[in-house]
Amino acid sequence: MKIWSTLSDVPGGERSVVTIGNFDGMHNGHRRVVSSCVERARKRGTDAVAITFDPHPIQVHAPEAGLQLIFPLRDRLDAMAASGLDATLVVHYDASVYMLEPEEFVVEFLVERLGAVEVVVGEDFHFGRANLGTIDTLRELGRRYGFDVTMVTDIQAPEGRRWSSSWVRELLAEGDVAGAARVLGHLHRIRGTVEHGFKRGRELGFPTANLQEGIEGVVPADGVYAGWVVRQVPGTESAEFLPSAISVGTNPQFDGVKRTVEAHVLGRSDLNLYGERIAVVFVSRIRPMLAFDSLEDLLAQMDDDLRQSAYVLGVGVASRIDPEDVTAC
């Protein structure tokens, strides 16, 4: 998939079927819209092109909301490429874009640069200054400038709710990573660089890879999760998936204050991940974050966390690591 960062990157003479959206998380609803765009383009013998925005409009118009993206931009683009798009135009979202009248946006982006013969959008599509443009506006402009408009109806979960990025964020805030995965259509993940921590886990036999600053993606509610640490194998282009028990929270047992993500790779004492950029993938929540009456009670619970994580992930049960054997983490 080609990635265009500015309108000037788009080659002349384009003829395309275009879809437009933020596509944060590339959930089931997004994929239906993008898949329809790709299908329509194949039938017409044209390129399938998406327009997406960075930063997210809410981050520009309501920064106080503190919106975190479900996906960092590169993961969003990877997911869009996997859906079969030929190209994506990443539009830098600022006043030069959001102050455009609907017709100005259509002419500048769809007609003059992308040569749209058809535009595929979801039911809730709005565009242009103050979101004044609706699907009806788009259809009227399509008749004027020579492109068709296809609206993809919202698909709904069995409980009758439409798939949406806001729903994913709600589920993650509740710690329901399995529910979030159902809406997304894939497991939720975050990315970050492994930092040095207090090494308490190492001393207790549970060495962890710690993420704290600069985490990309929505961190789910405090608790213990089964999941995977994904790293690039040094010196290769291959990814390595490491079964893990993941702790999210402030570590109330030790009066912690700062919220961290700590991933213990089951059965491994030799991993040196400091400074590496990794992904942490959440599969299932094991339990909420708790403070225990004694260190012995905490260790007993952590042993059970390992067993439950291994069961969820379908791997062999790994016991606590002898601190003397820990060579990294």
Side-chain angles (χ1 to χ4, degrees), residues 246-266:
I246 306 157
S247 171
V248 176
T250 58
N251 206 334
Q253 191 72 27
F254 299 98
D255 299 320
V257 175
K258 200 156 191 178
R259 198 163 183 251
T260 61
V261 177
E262 302 178 52
H264 169 69
V265 178
L266 303 183

Side-chain angles (χ1 to χ4, degrees), residues 181-201:
R182 183 171 65 87
V183 179
L184 286 167
H186 54 79
L187 295 172
H188 177 61
R189 64 178 177 266
I190 61 173
R191 294 186 186 274
T193 300
V194 178
E195 305 175 28
H196 288 277
F198 291 104
K199 303 192 186 311
R200 293 193 188 102

Side-chain angles (χ1 to χ4, degrees), residues 5 10 34 43 62 75 81-82 91 113 159 162 180 212 250 262 314:
S5 299
V10 181
V34 172
K43 287 181 179 178
D75 284 354
V91 177
R113 299 307 301 179
E159 56 266 55
R162 62 183 289 270
Q212 186 168 291
T250 58
E262 302 178 52

